[in-house]
Amino acid sequence: MAILVPGVASAQTTVQTPDQDAVQVDEIVVVGSRIRRDNYNAPSPTQVVTREEATLQGFASTTEALQSTAVTGGTSQINNAYGGYVTDGGPGANTIGLRGMGPSRTLVLLNGRRVSPAGSRGSVGSADLNVLPTAMIDRVEVLRDGASSVYGSDAVAGVVNIQTRQGFEGLTLEGQVNAPTEANGNGGSTRLSVVAGAKGDRWRAAGSVERYERDELTLRDREFTRCQTDGYIDRATGGSLDFVDPITGKPKCYPITDTGSNGVTINTIAAGVEGPLNARGQRTFVGVSGQGAAGSVGSTFNRWRPNSAVDTGVVGFEGVGGGANDVNVRDTFEDRMLNESLISPVEITTIYGEAAYQLNALGNAEIYGEFLLNNRKSSQTGYRQLALDYAKGSPLIPDNLAFSTAMTDQGLNKGADVGVRAFIGFGNDHSTQEQRFNRNVVGIKGDFLIPEWRYDLSASYSKSRSEYTSEQFLTDRLIESLDVVETAPGQFQCAQLASNPGCVAAPALSSQVIGGQLPQAWVDYVFRPVKGVTEYEEKIVSLGLDGPLFELPAGRVMGFFGLEWRDAQIDDTPGLDSQNDNTYNFSSSAITRGSDSVWEAFAEVEAPILRDMPFAHDLTLNGSFRYTDYDSYGDDTTYKIGLVYSPVEMLTLRGTYGTSYRAPALFEQFVGATTGFLSNTNDRCNEYGRPNVNPNRVANCAAEGLAPDHYNLSSVRVVTLGGAEAGLEAETSTNMTVGAVLQPPMPSGWGDLAFAVDYYEIEVKNGVSQYGAGNILTRCYDSDPADFAADVGFCALVSRDPTNSQLTVQNGYVNLATDIVKGLDYTVRYRNDVGPGSVLFNLALTQYTEISNKLFDEDPLEDYKGQINNPEFTGTADVSYAWDQWRVRYGVEWIQGTDSYDYLGVSPSDADPSTAMYDFEVGDYWLHNASVQYTTGGWTATAGVRNIFNEEPPTISSGYYNRVGNAPLYSGYDYLGRTAFINLTKSF
């Protein structure tokens, strides 16, 4: 990444573009302050990423550049690899969060003004990077410091300001292709754009049109995702402790175990008989005798797989579950699972324009405007299991299974007992999103009444509208299709056909149906698209005045004073079937609707205290203050104080301390009460008596009165509530940064060297967050038995129904007691003339010294630094050489290895990597990139390779962490593999 001066923003910036003379920029405002300066060193560390550097690195979009390790410091970001997960902004949205504090605490600006949230579903609260006009961007400024008093409440961890190519003249055509050499050639991207601009004596106008497309990458396309295994290790022998698939003799692909395994029961039925009442007076269902499948144990089963060769016991079926059998004896994987999206595809069209006109009136005023229109189409391919219940006595059940009573009605059989439940591998399903984002800005700026003062009055209106569709089984149609009468041998029709015209009878239970071969007419009837619409609107009016206040011996005291009003509204209306809980084994969603507005008054003052004195080359004080008044959460104040001290010209010391106040986002306040369901396999007590289960889990499940072979037949109920209903409060935080910049004078011919180091601390109190239902369940049942019995920590969010053992997890938005991030940034820049050209070396290193949080005041503070997905060190380095019309570059990205043994270990053996059955350690991760650029006659060609050595992501064991295949789900790793890229630009 290009850093103009490491950690120091300079107003006297020379911008060099191909085939153009250097342009001197006399007076600018760099992110971090609203005061115009002629010459200054900023009190806050600021990183600048130029479009030229992004092109040399092979980034095809601003999104890719912003989510890179160099900008994010190695913290995980939401990108297109999260298409199968529930994320804020919905599938396809890409966001950025600095310092690991999440996107809701990072403010994104375009030309110094807010970029409004965009996305789908109810949890829209952050800017979607997909809306940015990549073709028109000149540079990106990244402020790695809290700035709520300068920019508003959500600038807690930092600010990202995207600056367009204002004043652009001419016509530029650009095209870029990124083509993976691995992954069967899939996952590539293309971008085509046109940028045009012109200006006259009193006017200027410029704009761009661009098209970006990224192809789908599937699980089939990468080796590390084709066969996901548990990865459990016998440290004594070095062998595997995974369940061995009797069919292949190898560890089972996509088994059913803990978090991170994606297998589902398929090609199987549940069949048994009613047993005696248990100690709690509940009905029980037990297995029956039969022939076991290869790998099974015992002779009594309640799960069966078709096998036409079986002529005893349950004729036509072999036993694959029940008793002491491992759940993975049954089928859990089929080839269509590999069609799932690893990287979801996207198509983006963006139109951007900006213009300005000098009025020669109202203080030599200029009126200006910006227009942004963006359309995103994204989609994801998933895989669905269908658990289909056939009622006891149904004519759809064959005679050899008529004996069975598997369970009480689970909701499909109008109160009748379930005779047979079929676990069907249904196949692939698809979700789509189409988002339209529009942003309009108008303003006027000019000289104020006081000499050398300027005013800037602007208003903006942004609207995002997203239509999202997912394919769902409709519960009411399943119910009616399963209620049938036989009209002729082997012929069935819906019993209530008169009141449900168009109803299609469910297929009779057979080996083909169990195997996923379903009549298309029936599928078309019960499996339907469910469409929802999300709209988000934001209006902003802002007024700023800036200029000199008075003179001090060291210079002028500059000030900025402003007012801002913001009003935001969210309206997410899920499809009626989703609202009415009519999507079978899927989440229901209520309407999310709410609004909030805020008035803010703010001021910033910068005073030069000393200048050009002995041991005081420069001493400048900067202070800012903001008063905030939200309709929803009342008022508060924030402030920030910064100091820049240069005892001598070569050394700059700087520091800031500030406070922040963030009202919860609209979705955090108003998300509609949503009840979702996770698969029954998420019950952490399922078959907890099997070998190699966490001993804490064994003790806690036993404490609930569950048998070691317990297997929950009920889905896990997950309840999400908006914070307004749950007593959510605004969060407050403090932010401190202390640093030094060294720019020593070098002997002639030795070049220019600069070094910066900055230490930062961010502490958030009452932070708004969710932990996730799966995470809550795992950490509750694996917690200390004393904590489990006391119902504290995560266990306070979990309850179990004593009558049917159904789990309910409260996963609403809560105020975390403490969230702390501490660390250091190191930056080095060296430039020198060598031979016919010049060499430039950049090094950026981020070190986290603490990444900790706790959910409740009484909980211990957990430090996640150095654990998986939270590396202590990350870094980037690049060296480039430019001469004549050529420029070559070589870059390296580094993520330090991590391990989670100390945190996840529940016994001395688990905490010791030499004895633990889990592999929760990953080594250092390196990505190498190289490129060459040639410019002539208005043409610029850039070609290169990302991930030269085709470094694959590391692998870990199943459990605790979400995985992509066998690799951690983490944005810092490259899932594409080696990728060649070429960029062609023609300027007229």
Side-chain angles (χ1 to χ4, degrees), residues 267 291-293 304-319 400 510-512 514:
N267 306 330
Q291 179 177 320
W304 309 84
R305 180 171 60 201
N307 183 345
S308 60
V310 176
D311 55 8
T312 61
V314 180
V315 176
F317 291 87
E318 58 185 10
N400 60 325
S510 66
S511 297
Q512 291 75 21
I514 298 169

Side-chain angles (χ1 to χ4, degrees), residues 338-673:
L338 299 183
N339 295 333
E340 291 186 70
S341 300
L342 172 55
I343 301 291
S344 58
V346 66
E347 300 177 1
I348 301 174
T349 302
T350 307
I351 301 173
Y352 176 80
E354 58 186 37
Y357 181 76
Q358 290 289 140
L359 292 179
N360 289 340
L362 300 176
N364 195 32
E366 177 185 80
I367 56 173
Y368 59 88
E370 296 177 10
F371 171 80
L372 174 62
L373 182 63
N374 174 273
N375 179 267
R376 166 170 65 89
K377 295 180 180 179
S378 51
S379 63
Q380 298 79 38
T381 302
Y383 182 87
R384 291 288 291 271
Q385 175 213 57
L386 173 61
L388 194 61
D389 292 345
Y390 289 84
K392 177 76 173 178
S394 171
L396 297 174
I397 297 177
D399 292 340
N400 60 325
L401 294 174
F403 72 89
S404 174
T405 305
M407 63 194 74
T408 57
D409 181 27
Q410 303 293 298
L412 294 184
N413 302 125
K414 299 183 178 181
D417 284 343
V418 178
V420 178
R421 167 170 280 192
F423 297 95
I424 299 169
F426 175 75
N428 298 119
D429 65 308
H430 301 88
S431 300
T432 62
Q433 306 83 38
E434 181 170 2
Q435 174 182 286
R436 293 184 293 277
F437 178 81
N438 175 235
R439 177 179 183 265
N440 304 282
V441 177
V442 295
I444 181 171
K445 60 184 178 180
D447 298 328
F448 194 54
L449 300 175
I450 306 172
E452 296 188 69
W453 277 73
R454 299 274 293 171
Y455 71 89
D456 190 341
L457 174 64
S458 66
S460 67
Y461 173 78
S462 300
K463 182 174 182 178
S464 167
R465 177 183 170 86
S466 179
E467 299 177 357
Y468 56 96
T469 302
S470 61
E471 295 176 317
Q472 301 292 342
F473 294 102
L474 302 187
T475 304
D476 59 352
R477 294 195 176 197
L478 285 171
I479 292 172
E480 295 306 324
S481 74
L482 288 164
D483 182 13
V484 303
V485 293
E486 189 170 17
T487 58
Q491 301 294 317
F492 308 94
Q493 74 174 30
C494 298
Q496 306 299 324
L497 186 62
S499 58
N500 291 282
C503 178
V504 178
L509 186 64
S510 66
S511 297
Q512 291 75 21
V513 168
I514 298 169
Q517 299 178 36
L518 301 168
Q520 190 60 47
W522 179 74
V523 171
D524 291 342
Y525 174 67
V526 299
F527 192 60
R528 306 291 298 170
V530 176
K531 177 180 176 181
V533 177
T534 305
E535 293 186 342
Y536 195 103
E537 295 184 54
E538 187 171 61
K539 309 178 190 72
I540 303 175
V541 178
S542 182
L543 171 65
L545 304 172
D546 73 287
L549 294 172
F550 52 86
E551 288 280 345
L552 290 177
R556 292 193 298 182
V557 177
M558 303 295 292
F560 182 95
F561 303 90
L563 295 171
E564 187 166 278
W565 171 79
R566 299 193 302 274
D567 180 84
Q569 302 177 47
I570 188 172
D571 187 337
D572 174 58
T573 306
L576 285 176
D577 289 300
S578 182
Q579 293 183 47
N580 296 331
D581 196 15
N582 194 40
T583 52
Y584 182 59
N585 279 349
F586 204 79
S587 61
S588 63
S589 300
I591 293 174
T592 296
R593 186 171 295 152
S595 63
D596 203 0
S597 64
V598 57
W599 278 98
E600 296 183 303
F602 45 95
E604 181 182 1
V605 176
E606 185 166 280
I609 308 302
L610 299 173
R611 184 162 293 165
D612 297 328
M613 298 181 66
F615 304 106
H617 174 70
D618 180 38
L619 177 62
T620 301
L621 179 67
N622 180 280
S624 55
F625 175 87
R626 179 176 290 251
Y627 171 79
T628 301
D629 187 2
Y630 275 93
D631 282 354
S632 58
Y633 286 91
D635 61 343
D636 205 342
T637 58
T638 56
Y639 68 88
K640 182 177 180 180
I641 298 176
L643 188 68
V644 177
Y645 172 52
S646 298
V648 292
E649 189 172 359
M650 60 178 275
L651 177 64
T652 299
L653 306 176
R654 63 189 179 193
T656 66
Y657 180 85
T659 61
S660 297
Y661 165 87
R662 187 182 80 87
L666 291 182
F667 76 90
E668 292 168 336
Q669 298 180 52
F670 302 114
V671 65

Side-chain angles (χ1 to χ4, degrees), residues 683 685-688 706-713 800 804-805:
D683 187 341
C685 291
N686 283 347
E687 298 179 332
Y688 71 86
L706 302 174
D709 64 349
H710 162 81
Y711 199 85
N712 200 340
L713 298 178
R800 187 184 292 273
N804 61 11
S805 295

Side-chain angles (χ1 to χ4, degrees), residues 264-268 331-334 337 383 385 423-425:
V264 290
T265 296
I266 55 174
N267 306 330
T268 304
D331 294 341
T332 63
F333 169 75
E334 67 141 311
M337 288 183 178
Y383 182 87
Q385 175 213 57
F423 297 95
I424 299 169

